[in-house]
Amino acid sequence: MVSNKKVLFKKVPTAYPVIGEHIEVIDTEFDLDAQLADGEFIIKTLVLSVDPYMRGRMRDASAKSYSPAFTLDQPMNGHAVAIVEKSNSSVYKVGDYLYGMGDFVNYAKMSEAEAKARGMEVRPDIPTSGLPITNYVGVLGMPGATAYVGLELVGKPKAGETIYVSAASGAVGQLVGQLAKTQGLRVVGSAGSDEKVAHLKDIGFDAAFNYKTEDTDAKLTEFCPDGVDIYFENVGGAMLETTINHMNLFGRIIACGMISQYNVGNELYGVRNLIQVVAKRLILQGFIVSDHPELDAPFREQVTKALVEGKFKYLDDVVDGIENTPEALIDVLQGKNFGKKAVRVADP
Amino acid sequence: MVSNKKVLFKKVPTAYPVIGEHIEVIDTEFDLDAQLADGEFIIKTLVLSVDPYMRGRMRDASAKSYSPAFTLDQPMNGHAVAIVEKSNSSVYKVGDYLYGMGDFVNYAKMSEAEAKARGMEVRPDIPTSGLPITNYVGVLGMPGATAYVGLELVGKPKAGETIYVSAASGAVGQLVGQLAKTQGLRVVGSAGSDEKVAHLKDIGFDAAFNYKTEDTDAKLTEFCPDGVDIYFENVGGAMLETTINHMNLFGRIIACGMISQYNVGNELYGVRNLIQVVAKRLILQGFIVSDHPELDAPFREQVTKALVEGKFKYLDDVVDGIENTPEALIDVLQGKNFGKKAVRVADP
């Protein structure tokens, strides 16, 4: 028997989740020597991703949304990298690295059908690329793909345009800025600390500001003198309203997320200037990365190459130990992460 | 000398314009026997269009927008049908019917260059189609083209989908509904009186309701049981917020106008549920009909044919006399028009 910690969803929060009340870590045991039926295998979790969208999954299961609600008293789950420890499957072999939706547990037994339902892919590139495994749930995982898909699908960037990225030092924003630079855009970002702002300049943003200590409207006027053609929207609320005032004719607003609105209960911010959508012929378009699997291959190829060649930089904010997953998630929701937050659960 | 009334822009309003304060009609004289330089000609206005977007032109000229501000103490202008009374031009001949941007005056002298700048087209179809001249500033004019362009460009309707049209009995909405019916959609509309609602049912809307006496949320639940795939947005504010709650995944919101927000000064309505744009992958897209001249020909062909064959019905709300133009415009801004408001200035 080995220790098998599980991160359970315990209660639907109305504002920020609280450890022990809405999320709880329990310790159980797992039998690594259990019999495996035909096609079954055991995975060991290596890395877990914690992402803002998970807040939306902490809801009553009767409310529909794009990603399923977490089940009360069951492990939460998300994008993860795992390794096959034991196997009675010809598809998932011992030593294979898998990427897909994994439960927040140390060990799990799985059938091939279940693995397929969780989108578990065997990824031979993970152990061979030389890149940190955490990259595979960040810049090369769902958040990275989100940056790529949003920019291509909605942003349709043209050289010479200006893009503004909010929450720019986060898991998605860092890559958005660097992808946009490769396409010849002026890239401006905002983040919530001076340290984050310095990082944005390090990774190639043309300008960046601390939205907590500076006035967003004044900084957009200063840093986007020709207006904003593309807004990569991760924040929502007042940030969206202010940015709309700076959008150029035919501007595109990539509605990726609105983290300012996730933990405010019914105190949602009312955006008052949508009339500009008409006058400026703006597009405000939402998207979900999983709708666009056709972009996975070009995304992975381009970004892996740029990382291996050192052309892209990407900051991970890694915490060790599955028991620290709840705090890591809450940190992300409160903007306390510095870079892409990931939990390193075990070494291969 | 003949009488030549002019409708002047006198002052920028902050809320609804007031006759005598913001708009004034003056009586002047015009010399029909004046000498015409080479290429000059005289037009007589037959029909003037008054449209909600004109409120946006009653602004300080320093504020940029998609259509130019009216000039203080000068005649207002808009889409009009006129006839050439006298001519020293080989392009614009006596008896020609013209459609384009005309000043709110009875008579005007014009050069070919000025006529071109105003988009004045010679339209031989106007006197020969058998359709009322007012149609050419309504269902066959800018408002009709707006319906067509919005639906095609942003709406991208598919048979079996549900479209909801606000301000549905207005100049644009009436045609939106009928165009959508030809494409096999379920068409639901709202308007501001029981008489308007009855008209919507007359012209083929599957369902319609009076948003002033009924609860929009309840009526959308009742009339759009499968949700709303396309929202043709003419109203904005609370109507937009309520409708977003009913939008289906991948829904399109055609941002054509937001008349509820034009005359409220700084009391703009804050839309609080834009997070649904992400979760539902909505598109909210503004457009201006004049950006899409390439759609003029198919629009005119399809709609003229349907009107001549009696397949489309379209209600004009015609007032006689140029001196009644200010009141007609204010009526439109207050929703007091019943159908497309037009001013019949003179007979041919």
Side-chain angles (χ1 to χ4, degrees):
Chain A
M1 291 288 180
V2 290
S3 162
N4 189 24
K5 291 201 173 71
K6 298 181 175 181
V7 181
L8 305 185
F9 178 47
K10 294 298 289 181
K11 187 181 168 188
V12 175
T14 52
Y16 286 108
V18 174
I19 298 172
E21 183 180 356
H22 307 102
I23 312 178
E24 188 184 8
V25 182
I26 62 165
D27 207 349
T28 67
E29 292 193 320
F30 188 89
D31 182 4
L32 278 174
D33 299 318
Q35 280 290 104
L36 295 174
D38 193 36
E40 284 188 332
F41 58 101
I42 293 169
I43 59 170
K44 179 172 82 169
T45 305
L46 301 180
V47 169
L48 292 177
S49 185
V50 286
D51 297 287
Y53 84 94
M54 291 175 176
R55 178 63 182 80
R57 300 186 61 191
M58 300 181 73
R59 67 178 187 273
D60 188 282
S62 67
K64 285 185 188 172
S65 186
Y66 62 94
S67 70
F70 291 126
T71 306
L72 286 170
D73 297 319
Q74 293 296 311
M76 298 168 68
N77 61 74
H79 290 87
V81 175
I83 191 166
V84 178
E85 282 280 293
K86 303 231 169 168
S87 180
N88 194 14
S89 160
S90 58
V91 182
Y92 301 93
K93 302 191 192 73
V94 171
D96 279 351
Y97 283 70
L98 308 184
Y99 172 73
M101 295 301 282
D103 279 351
F104 288 2
V105 298
N106 290 104
Y107 294 95
K109 190 168 79 169
M110 210 171 275
S111 67
E112 289 173 1
E114 192 185 351
K116 195 175 171 189
R118 289 168 173 270
M120 287 284 186
E121 300 171 79
V122 177
R123 289 286 295 269
D125 51 330
I126 294 180
T128 58
S129 68
L131 297 169
I133 297 178
T134 48
N135 275 183
Y136 289 89
V137 298
V139 65
L140 287 166
M142 181 277 293
T146 298
Y148 185 92
V149 169
L151 201 58
E152 292 302 310
L153 188 82
V154 183
K156 298 185 175 70
K158 291 188 276 287
E161 290 188 327
T162 296
I163 186 171
Y164 169 57
V165 187
S166 57
S169 73
V172 177
Q174 294 184 67
L175 184 59
V176 169
Q178 294 177 82
L179 286 169
K181 281 309 294 177
T182 67
Q183 301 198 45
L185 278 76
R186 173 171 176 79
V187 177
V188 177
S190 63
S193 76
D194 292 346
E195 192 184 24
K196 292 178 181 180
V197 167
H199 172 63
L200 293 177
K201 291 175 185 168
D202 277 350
I203 65 173
F205 279 61
D206 294 293
F209 63 94
N210 180 341
Y211 75 92
K212 289 183 178 170
T213 59
E214 305 272 9
D215 179 66
T216 296
D217 187 53
K219 285 290 152 185
L220 289 179
T221 300
E222 178 183 347
F223 290 147
C224 307
D226 299 325
V228 175
D229 299 294
I230 304 176
Y231 172 37
F232 203 105
E233 163 65 305
N234 292 310
V235 169
M239 180 70 83
L240 173 57
E241 187 173 78
T242 300
T243 307
I244 286 174
N245 292 334
H246 291 266
M247 294 301 295
N248 286 332
L249 296 188
F250 302 103
R252 289 82 70 196
I253 300 175
I254 305 167
C256 175
M258 298 193 183
I259 196 167
S260 75
Q261 303 294 294
Y262 295 172
N263 296 285
V264 293
N266 287 321
E267 300 298 309
L268 294 162
Y269 188 91
V271 174
R272 291 162 298 183
N273 56 355
L274 292 175
I275 183 61
Q276 293 188 41
V277 170
V278 181
K280 294 180 176 175
R281 295 84 138 174
L282 303 180
I283 294 177
L284 171 66
Q285 182 172 351
F287 74 102
I288 303 293
V289 62
S290 53
D291 292 332
H292 304 282
E294 74 282 3
L295 294 177
D296 270 351
F299 151 67
R300 288 180 184 173
E301 185 184 331
Q302 179 185 346
V303 177
T304 302
K305 185 165 185 287
L307 288 166
V308 168
E309 292 175 354
K311 289 178 182 162
F312 282 177
K313 296 178 191 169
Y314 189 83
L315 188 64
D316 283 328
D317 181 354
V318 181
V319 59
D320 280 296
I322 191 169
E323 64 279 10
N324 294 314
T325 306
E327 189 177 0
L329 176 57
I330 293 165
D331 279 356
V332 166
L333 295 175
Q334 297 184 337
K336 291 181 183 165
N337 55 309
F338 182 26
K340 161 61 189 164
K341 196 92 183 178
V343 181
R344 187 158 43 209
V345 177
D347 290 325
Chain B
M1 289 289 180
V2 291
S3 161
N4 189 24
K5 292 200 172 72
K6 298 180 175 181
V7 180
L8 304 184
F9 178 46
K10 293 299 292 181
K11 187 181 168 188
V12 175
T14 53
Y16 286 107
V18 174
I19 297 172
E21 183 180 357
H22 307 102
I23 312 178
E24 188 183 9
V25 182
I26 62 165
D27 207 349
T28 67
E29 291 194 321
F30 189 89
D31 182 4
L32 278 174
D33 299 319
Q35 280 290 105
L36 295 174
D38 194 36
E40 284 188 333
F41 58 102
I42 293 169
I43 59 168
K44 179 173 81 169
T45 306
L46 301 181
V47 168
L48 291 177
S49 186
V50 287
D51 297 287
Y53 84 93
M54 291 176 176
R55 179 61 183 80
R57 300 186 61 191
M58 300 181 74
R59 67 181 188 271
D60 188 281
S62 66
K64 284 185 188 171
S65 186
Y66 62 93
S67 70
F70 291 125
T71 306
L72 286 170
D73 297 319
Q74 293 295 311
M76 298 167 69
N77 60 75
H79 290 86
V81 175
I83 191 166
V84 179
E85 283 280 294
K86 303 229 167 169
S87 180
N88 194 16
S89 159
S90 58
V91 180
Y92 302 93
K93 303 190 193 73
V94 172
D96 280 351
Y97 283 70
L98 308 183
Y99 171 73
M101 294 300 282
D103 280 352
F104 288 2
V105 298
N106 290 104
Y107 294 95
K109 190 169 78 169
M110 209 172 273
S111 67
E112 289 172 2
E114 191 185 350
K116 195 175 170 189
R118 289 168 173 270
M120 286 284 185
E121 299 171 79
V122 178
R123 289 285 294 270
D125 52 330
I126 295 180
T128 59
S129 68
L131 297 169
I133 296 178
T134 48
N135 275 185
Y136 289 88
V137 297
V139 64
L140 287 166
M142 181 277 291
T146 298
Y148 185 92
V149 168
L151 201 58
E152 291 303 311
L153 189 83
V154 183
K156 299 185 175 72
K158 291 189 274 288
E161 290 189 328
T162 297
I163 186 171
Y164 168 56
V165 187
S166 57
S169 73
V172 177
Q174 294 185 68
L175 184 60
V176 169
Q178 294 177 83
L179 286 168
K181 282 306 295 176
T182 68
Q183 302 197 44
L185 279 78
R186 174 171 176 78
V187 177
V188 177
S190 63
S193 76
D194 292 345
E195 191 185 23
K196 292 177 181 180
V197 168
H199 172 64
L200 293 176
K201 292 176 184 166
D202 276 351
I203 65 174
F205 279 62
D206 294 294
F209 62 94
N210 180 341
Y211 75 91
K212 288 184 178 170
T213 59
E214 306 272 9
D215 179 66
T216 296
D217 187 53
K219 284 291 151 184
L220 288 178
T221 300
E222 178 184 347
F223 291 148
C224 306
D226 298 326
V228 175
D229 299 294
I230 306 177
Y231 173 37
F232 203 106
E233 164 65 305
N234 292 309
V235 168
M239 179 69 82
L240 174 57
E241 187 174 77
T242 300
T243 306
I244 285 175
N245 292 334
H246 291 265
M247 294 300 294
N248 285 333
L249 296 188
F250 303 103
R252 289 82 72 196
I253 300 175
I254 306 166
C256 176
M258 299 194 181
I259 196 167
S260 75
Q261 303 295 294
Y262 296 172
N263 295 285
V264 294
N266 287 322
E267 299 299 312
L268 294 162
Y269 187 93
V271 174
R272 292 162 296 184
N273 56 355
L274 291 175
I275 183 62
Q276 294 188 41
V277 170
V278 181
K280 294 180 177 175
R281 297 83 138 173
L282 303 181
I283 295 178
L284 171 65
Q285 181 172 354
F287 75 101
I288 303 292
V289 61
S290 53
D291 292 333
H292 305 282
E294 75 283 3
L295 294 177
D296 270 350
F299 151 67
R300 288 179 185 172
E301 186 183 331
Q302 179 185 347
V303 177
T304 302
K305 185 165 182 288
L307 288 166
V308 168
E309 293 176 352
K311 288 178 182 161
F312 282 177
K313 295 178 194 171
Y314 190 83
L315 188 64
D316 283 329
D317 180 353
V318 181
V319 60
D320 280 295
I322 191 169
E323 64 277 11
N324 294 314
T325 305
E327 189 178 358
L329 176 57
I330 294 166
D331 279 355
V332 166
L333 295 175
Q334 297 184 337
K336 290 182 184 164
N337 56 307
F338 182 26
K340 161 61 188 165
K341 196 89 182 182
V343 180
R344 188 157 44 208
V345 177
D347 291 323

